[in-house]
Amino acid sequence: MRILLLGANGQLGKELERQLSSVANIAAFPRNSLDITNHKSVRDAVRCFQPNIIVNAAAYTAVDKAETDASVAYEVNAEAVNAEAVSNLVQIAQKEGAWLIHYSTDYVFDGSKPTPYIETDAPNPINVYGASKLAGETAIAAADCQHLIFRTSWVIGKDGNNFAKTILRLAAERNSLKVISDQLGVPTSPSLISKITIDAIRAIKQDKAWPQGIYHLAPQGVSSWHEIAKTLIVYAEQQRVRLNTQVADIQEITTAEYPTAAKRPLNSQLDTHKLRAQLSFDLPNWKDDFLAVASDIVKELESA
Ligand SMILES: NC(=O)c1ccc[n+]([C@@H]2O[C@H](COP(=O)([O-])OP(=O)(O)OC[C@H]3O[C@@H](n4cnc5c(N)ncnc54)[C@H](OP(=O)(O)O)[C@@H]3O)[C@@H](O)[C@H]2O)c1
């Protein structure tokens, strides 16, 4: 089986590259060797490698920057990467008879639902990034291409810059931190997303492909940015990382008290029943999934 991986230098892309090579012959492209907004290059790469599956981990993920980039050069905005390039990709996949595995986000929802979102809930993005990701999903659903879309939330891994690394850096620099507590959701590790992607790929390999469509993908439980920060600092203290902020110094603030360019949904919880019905293993609790990432990040800090 041959897999073409796009966006191989991102948080998820790096982990997918590590894990996918155990199940398939993989051609992995970071942005600097294959820019997915270059539609012809993508077509040439697919025709040349003839993948059975295209895994698209490439995305424009700068949520706040997306609000202003919408008005600048088309090639570097969220719409070009998350919608137009995906539309091109799905057409190529369809023509070449390849599966497309793609990732989307809880930010397609407005967050006003009081309970976890299911796959059939009506999307209503409240920022440019969410709208562009929804347009990508819509392009995939409209094409006649075999596909799986994993909608995930709050991706935090050992690679790249993310919330956990920012909290650790600030906790080393400052005596106290203020972290948002009224956005509910869970962190999801690239490692878990990759493991689930491989489960789905094994099913395709064995001619037992999961029904195509959207699957919500996140660990179990519910949390907030504030709780994640506290969990991280407790763990870092246990590992004797030198910090100026202690757990008691992490104050709760509301979304309204921390204005950002892009609005964020207050409820990012994703209901994962549909995914769990297909998976060959149980989804972990968010804390277990996150602490494995925290461990990798702290180890990297110690070796730096
Ligand atoms: N991060 C989150 O919290 C989050 C939450 C929910 C869903 N998701 C979704 O999960 C997926 C993976 O996200 P992630 O956290 O791994 O994001 P990431 O770390 O920002 O990685 C995205 C990768 O895509 C690459 N890329 C951007 N534009 C490209 C282009 N035109 N051509 C080719 N590659 C391009 C980036 O390249 P550079 O390295 O050169 O910038 C980067 O390596 C995405 O679909 C995202 O929408 C993410």
Side-chain angles (χ1 to χ4, degrees):
M1 169 162 287
R2 285 184 304 281
I3 295 179
L4 185 81
L5 171 64
L6 303 167
N9 212 27
Q11 290 196 88
L12 176 59
K14 280 192 173 166
E15 187 60 34
L16 280 169
E17 186 172 3
R18 283 191 282 268
Q19 292 197 27
L20 284 175
S21 37
S22 67
V23 285
N25 174 7
I26 152 170
F29 292 94
R31 189 211 317 228
N32 59 12
S33 51
L34 186 52
D35 182 330
I36 67 165
T37 62
N38 186 332
H39 297 186
K40 185 181 175 306
S41 299
V42 174
R43 196 167 57 234
D44 291 347
V46 173
R47 287 203 178 134
C48 171
F49 187 61
Q50 292 282 304
N52 307 87
I53 304 176
I54 300 169
V55 177
N56 181 30
Y60 181 111
T61 59
V63 177
D64 288 312
K65 209 163 161 265
E67 298 294 312
T68 44
D69 275 359
S71 58
V72 300
Y74 170 80
E75 288 76 19
V76 294
N77 73 26
E79 178 70 18
V81 182
N82 296 341
E84 297 296 332
V86 173
S87 176
N88 174 59
L89 193 56
V90 74
Q91 284 165 34
I92 295 165
Q94 182 180 345
K95 219 178 227 167
E96 301 298 320
W99 272 81
L100 177 64
I101 297 184
H102 180 75
Y103 304 92
S104 190
T105 172
D106 53 293
Y107 282 16
V108 297
F109 298 115
D110 61 19
S112 62
K113 192 183 176 189
T115 52
Y117 281 95
I118 59 171
E119 287 79 355
T120 48
D121 280 330
N124 182 29
I126 54 173
N127 57 44
V128 168
Y129 165 75
S132 71
K133 293 296 290 186
L134 177 61
E137 287 185 4
T138 308
I140 296 172
D144 189 17
C145 155
Q146 294 178 297
H147 67 271
L148 297 170
I149 299 174
F150 293 118
R151 270 192 201 139
T152 190
S153 68
W154 301 5
V155 177
I156 301 179
K158 65 180 172 187
D159 299 300
N161 289 320
N162 55 46
F163 175 78
K165 291 187 181 178
T166 304
I167 290 292
L168 282 177
R169 178 174 51 76
L170 294 177
E173 290 167 9
R174 301 180 185 177
N175 295 325
S176 68
L177 295 179
K178 289 179 180 171
V179 184
I180 289 172
S181 60
D182 62 351
Q183 290 174 24
L184 300 182
V186 284
T188 308
S189 73
S191 168
L192 179 63
I193 303 172
S194 301
K195 203 172 152 198
I196 290 166
T197 302
I198 286 177
D199 217 45
I201 289 172
R202 288 218 169 95
I204 294 172
K205 246 176 144 176
Q206 294 161 5
D207 284 331
K208 291 181 196 154
W210 302 355
Q212 60 174 325
I214 297 174
Y215 291 82
H216 285 178
L217 187 172
Q220 309 221 48
V222 59
S223 185
S224 70
W225 293 113
H226 182 257
E227 193 182 356
I228 299 166
K230 281 200 316 185
T231 304
L232 177 63
I233 296 303
V234 168
Y235 176 78
E237 281 173 354
Q238 286 164 354
Q239 303 306 307
R240 304 193 189 293
V241 176
R242 246 187 265 148
L243 300 172
N244 285 316
T245 302
Q246 266 135 41
V247 183
D249 306 321
I250 306 178
Q251 296 158 25
E252 296 185 39
I253 53 165
T254 62
T255 302
E257 289 173 284
Y258 188 76
T260 49
K263 280 193 196 160
R264 262 83 172 165
L266 290 180
N267 181 15
S268 280
Q269 296 175 80
L270 298 172
D271 180 302
T272 56
H273 278 89
K274 185 178 170 190
L275 174 67
R276 280 186 275 151
Q278 298 296 334
L279 270 184
S280 69
F281 57 91
D282 287 336
L283 285 176
N285 184 272
W286 74 266
K287 226 175 230 186
D288 295 330
D289 188 49
F290 176 68
L291 283 174
V293 173
S295 162
D296 285 339
I297 293 176
V298 165
K299 270 185 209 141
E300 200 181 288
L301 263 183
E302 282 165 348
S303 65

